[in-house]
Structure formats: C-alpha cells, structure tokens
Amino acid sequence: MFCEEKIDMKKIAVDAMGGDNAPKAIIEGVNRALAEFSDIEIQLYGDESKIKEYLTATERVSIIHTEEKINSDDEPAKAIRRKKKASMVLGANAVKEGTADAVISAGNTGALLAAGLFVVGRIKGIDRPGLMSTLPTLDGKGYDMLDLGANAENTPKHLHQYAILGSFYAKNVRDIAKPRVGLLNNGTEATKGDPLHKEAYALLAEDASLNFVGNVEARDLMNGVADVVVSDGFTGNAVLKTMEGTALNIMGGLKSSIKSGGLKAKLGAFLLKDSLYQLKDTMDYSSAGGAVLFGLKAPIVKCHGSSDAQAVYYTIRQVRTMLETNVVGQLVETFTPKD
Amino acid sequence: MFCEEKIDMKKIAVDAMGGDNAPKAIIEGVNRALAEFSDIEIQLYGDESKIKEYLTATERVSIIHTEEKINSDDEPAKAIRRKKKASMVLGANAVKEGTADAVISAGNTGALLAAGLFVVGRIKGIDRPGLMSTLPTLDGKGYDMLDLGANAENTPKHLHQYAILGSFYAKNVRDIAKPRVGLLNNGTEATKGDPLHKEAYALLAEDASLNFVGNVEARDLMNGVADVVVSDGFTGNAVLKTMEGTALNIMGGLKSSIKSGGLKAKLGAFLLKDSLYQLKDTMDYSSAGGAVLFGLKAPIVKCHGSSDAQAVYYTIRQVRTMLETNVVGQLVETFTPKD
C-alpha cells in the first residue's frame, strides 16, 4: 500500500480574459502549471467556450463562466463598481469569500489594484499596500522594489512598512536569509533627501529587525546594491517606467540601426545572436513572476499585459510559493496589534 | 581699408582643474573653441604650469593661477566657504564681479551648484534655480528637462517657473519656436499625480504663454513627447540616474556577453561596429553641451565629470549661444516685478 499524504491544496483564481494575449497565453500557462504542480487548483474566470479552445488540463481546474470583462482603458474604480460580473472582479470576490486563496490577472493594473483594495482588503495595520516587483540585476539575482506606483503619495511610516513587507517577501519567496534593504534616495549619504526620505531613513535605521544598508541611488539598482529597495510610489513609478523606456528604446534603436546597416550589419547581428539573447535574458525578469499588490489579505498578482504563456506560468509558480510559505499570513501576524 | 566690426566679446571663465580628465581635456576643448569662435575670450582658472602643458591657443586666453581646487568628495557648501582660492570659486567670483559672463566646470556638481547660488546668485523672482540638461531622443532632437536634482523639494510654483525657464532655453538656444512643455507625472491623464503635480498641472494649463501639452510619462521621454520636460528635483534626479544606470548596464552587459561569446560573437561585433556606434551616438547627448544651473544671474554650466575635449568644446559652444541670445537677460526681464 502507498502512503497517502495530505496535500494542502492551493486554490488560485485566474482572470482568463485580462492582457494582450488572453485567453490563449493565460490558459497555456495554466496548463503548464497544473502539469508541474500537483498541489494547486486553478479557477478560470472568463468566457467558457474561448477558454476551452486552449485548455488541455482536465484535473484540478474549473471554469467560472462570465461574459463581462474589464478593458485596458476602463476607469479602474468605476469599472470595479459597475462591472460586478467581470472576470477580474469575480476572482477577487472568490478570495473575499474564501473560495480562492489568491488572484492573478494580466488585465488593467489600476482595476486590479482597486479590486485588491476594495474587494479583498488591506491587512489591518498596513496603511497603504504597495506594488512590488522583482527587478533585474546584472548578476541575475534581482531585487524587490516597492512601491512601484500603487500610491501617488506616501508617508515615512508607509516606507517603513514597505521595508518590512519587502523583507518578508525576499526571505520567504526568494529565500534570502537577511535581505539587505536600501532606501531609494537622491544620494547615498545618510543626510540626503527631502523630509519624507530623511524621516523614512531614521525609521529604517532604528528598526533592528531590518538589515538596512542605507540610501541607494537609481543608477546603482542594476548592480545589486540591495535585495529590497524601498521607494515612495511616485518616484518608484517614474524609475520603473524610465527603466522600461530606456531598455526598450536602446534595444529598438539597435534593431533599427542593424536594419539600416545593410548586409554587413545583418551578418554581424546573426553572429551576435546568442550574445544578444543572453543580454535579453538578463534584462528579462518575468521568471520572478508578476507584480504583487503587497499588504492585502491575500496574494493579488499582476502579470505584465504582454505576458506570454511562460510569464503566466512563472506567476502561478510565484503565487504558489507565496501560499506555501504563508508570507501573507506572517504579515498579518506581524502587523496585527498585540493586546 | 577693411570694415572693422565691433565684436561683442563673450568672456567665459573655465575651471581648468575640475573633472576626471582635467586639465588635459579641458584645455584641449578650450583650444578648439578658441580656434572656432572669434567672439569668445577664455579665462582659465587653475595650475598655470599644468595648463601650459596643453594650451596651444595664444590669443583671447588668460590664465589665473591658483593651486587650490575642490575635490569630487568635498562637502559642497563647506568647500565653497573654505576654499576661497579654488579654481571653481575664483571663476564664480569673476562672474560676480563682472569680469566674466559665465562659468564652466566639470568638477564637483554640488560645489558648482553652491557656488552658483551663493556667489553668483539667483535672478530676482526665481525661487529655486533648477538643473537642466538636453537629453536624448531617438529622433536626435532631444528635450530639455529640469529640475534634475538641484533641489530635493519643490512647490507647484517652482515647477511653473521651470516651464518658463525651459521654454526660454528651448526657444533661444535650441531654436524651437513654440516648445512643447510636458509635466513629468505618473500617468498622462490630467487628473494624475500627487497634490504637487496636480497643482503644477493647473498652473501650467492656465499660463497662455506656454505651449503646455499635458502630463508625460517617464517611459515616453526618449520618444520625443515634449521639447521641455518639467519635473520636481527629487523625481528628475531619480529619472536621470535611472536612464544613466540602465543605458550603461545594457551597454556593459552587451560588451561582456560579446567577450564571453568567443570568436563568433567577436566577429559579429566587428561587423556590427558601425551600427553600435550609431546607437551610441544617438544615446550620447554631449553635443548639446552641459547641465545648466538655470535661474541664476549668469550661465553656470556643469560638464560631465568624465568629459573629453569634445564635450568641453560643446559646452563652450552652448554657453556662447546662451550669451549671444542673452537668454539669461531675457529671464531677468521676465521675472523682475514690474512697477
């Protein structure tokens, strides 16, 4: 007789209709994840007939049919209020009602943030959940940065909370024993910054539970100066978008100068293909998963709008680890006021 | 007999000792500028014997000998107060006393900002001069962005002043008739941003003298969405450093993947050389000159610390245009309260 082990099944709600490549890329990612992980159960929210076109998995998967969906240009808060049957909203509701443990969507970011905040809800004691991603470094190790723009304004206390949130994530999901926390500022010296960043610096330096390494500058982020980078949402958003814009434009510029460079350039590019792909891999951080709206009562994770099946698979893997390590449960424990 | 035209001689003070490649690169840049422009006069501040090693120009150039200089790790305000005979400080003093019209330095940025503010002084009516650079776009036209970090904090009024400053510069120095002004914000919609950016938006939209095109996002800057980009100093600094870091790291990553890619990759890189140089040229914006601390009573311009002779030459050319068009004089006129 074989040993029957009790498996802690992780129930993940997936918005099948969000993103540029939905539902195909979403469902293909789900197929792969279900084949690989025997301890997950996927709930697919969206158009049943379209989902079925791509769904090959037959076990631990269910379809919750709906025809409504949130578009990328919908006004977030309004969409959440009015489109009660949208695939994303139904997913968030499932978490609220306890029938799912987490939500993944590649759809409208603002709407997912709104669904996270208003449907799933904040952890008590966390004032302003932050948007967090694992971003690339040249050595391939990456760093977790938050807030990347869930908030337009933050207080020093929020930034302190982001340091705790990021550290928990790096420890649990990325397996870094003592994550180095850096504060994104306009210089590395301790005296730098506006009042917000000076006060945040003081709070981080005082907190002995953190491995605070001081201020870090935006130009050094890719060099791995910290495992967790704390930022206010306005600056974090600008930095993330600058990285994306600069990287895309350099790669695009290279492509067009190869195109206009004739046969010689084309041959050169052909010979250099492996090196260029290696560089692209370094810059690509989709293997770390999606952006977490961190500080909510459950993992709410945004895949990039242009995610392919592989990126969706990586995000499911990330959410699985978050559930397995109970990182959100630990946060609840930490932030709940003790009597 | 030949016609003798009265030439308006522009007197430019140059810190010969600032920057990684001083005094060689500085003096070689000066040699070239003096040969090209017959209406400039250069005052070189620094170590006479070292300067003479490289100086080939003999006319319209003078050396003001000093052995003191500000180092890159000196604390800015302190250095300005204590090193009264430093090459940079003497240059700023010359402007204050009217013996020079402008200062150029590739030295300590903070010290140059301090020398500009405390020695040369603000234009009456401009609250917080901003650091402005012409940054690259893919189409080669570029845009002027400020504040890039002269200030850690700004008010909506400062941002409004930056829009006016940037527009004056783009018109006069870059010859753009109606410069499009964009406000760097966390989204393009008019309602985006924290209170600072919302209020700044309102001020810019109200000012009919500006060609305000609304909010712009960091990811679109290289696509030429505006001719002038207005930012608070904290965000502007982070964005600039992110651009530098991302571009450097991508280029560095490409280099090292070519190096480790063996003969095939090296041959590919050789064939692709022209395309790579073309890309490098697009990203390089030194031909637009240095970073102007704009809003002072005279042009105070920072060359990049790693400037070569060509970058120094470009900065002298830029300062010459600023003096020729009297852009600072026009600002004084605009900002001086009318009776």
Side-chain angles (χ1 to χ4, degrees), chain A residues 116-183:
Chain A
L117 283 167
F118 303 129
V119 180
V120 177
R122 292 182 293 117
I123 292 173
K124 209 176 159 177
I126 295 184
D127 298 318
R128 292 282 194 98
L131 194 62
M132 186 189 71
S133 271
T134 304
L135 298 172
T137 55
L138 284 182
D139 66 7
K141 291 182 181 164
Y143 60 94
D144 295 303
M145 182 160 163
L146 75 169
D147 174 20
L148 294 173
N151 304 283
E153 266 189 296
N154 286 115
T155 66
K157 189 179 166 205
H158 301 160
L159 268 54
H160 182 204
Q161 293 182 343
Y162 294 152
I164 300 171
L165 290 170
S167 294
F168 262 90
Y169 186 89
K171 266 182 221 165
N172 284 281
V173 180
R174 296 176 61 228
D175 220 8
I176 299 170
K178 284 187 64 175
R180 296 162 301 147
V181 177
L183 175 66

Side-chain angles (χ1 to χ4, degrees), chain A residues 33-34 42 72 93 99 102 115 126 129 139 150 166 174 220 245 247 256 263 308 315-316 327:
Chain A
L34 281 167
I42 302 281
S72 60
N93 270 327
T99 53
I126 295 184
D139 66 7
R174 296 176 61 228
D220 302 321
S256 66
L263 196 61
D308 56 11
T315 305
I316 296 173
V327 60

Side-chain angles (χ1 to χ4, degrees), chain B residues 134 141-144 169-176 227-228 321:
Chain B
T134 305
K141 291 184 182 165
Y143 60 96
D144 294 303
Y169 186 88
K171 265 182 222 166
N172 283 280
V173 180
R174 297 177 60 228
D175 222 8
I176 299 170
D227 302 307
V228 173
T321 309

Side-chain angles (χ1 to χ4, degrees), chain B residues 10-166:
Chain B
K10 294 153 195 79
K11 287 169 283 182
I12 304 172
V14 174
D15 170 11
M17 310 313 283
D20 307 340
N21 309 316
K24 187 172 186 284
I26 313 290
I27 308 303
E28 287 173 355
V30 165
N31 287 335
R32 182 173 163 195
L34 282 167
E36 189 142 330
F37 305 118
S38 57
D39 59 352
I40 62 168
E41 197 181 290
I42 302 280
Q43 299 163 8
L44 288 167
Y45 292 81
D47 187 314
E48 183 163 18
S49 66
K50 286 184 185 158
I51 290 172
K52 280 188 167 163
E53 269 184 59
Y54 306 102
L55 190 65
T56 54
T58 52
E59 273 179 38
R60 291 172 285 117
V61 62
S62 54
I63 300 175
I64 297 90
H65 175 74
T66 180
E67 271 154 35
E68 202 164 40
K69 70 184 193 89
I70 290 175
N71 300 315
S72 60
D73 56 353
D74 279 345
E75 203 279 296
K78 216 181 273 176
I80 293 301
R81 266 200 318 274
R82 296 199 184 155
K83 295 185 167 178
K84 299 257 184 236
K85 298 262 170 236
S87 50
M88 184 195 283
V89 179
L90 291 180
N93 270 326
V95 171
K96 187 187 174 187
E97 286 155 14
T99 52
D101 302 316
V103 191
I104 292 174
S105 175
N108 185 318
T109 307
L112 188 65
L113 295 184
L117 282 169
F118 302 131
V119 180
V120 176
R122 292 182 293 117
I123 292 173
K124 210 174 156 177
I126 295 184
D127 298 317
R128 294 282 194 98
L131 193 63
M132 185 190 71
S133 272
T134 305
L135 298 172
T137 55
L138 285 182
D139 66 6
K141 291 184 182 165
Y143 60 96
D144 294 303
M145 181 160 161
L146 76 170
D147 175 20
L148 294 172
N151 304 283
E153 268 188 294
N154 286 115
T155 65
K157 190 180 165 203
H158 301 161
L159 268 55
H160 182 205
Q161 293 182 343
Y162 294 152
I164 301 170
L165 290 171

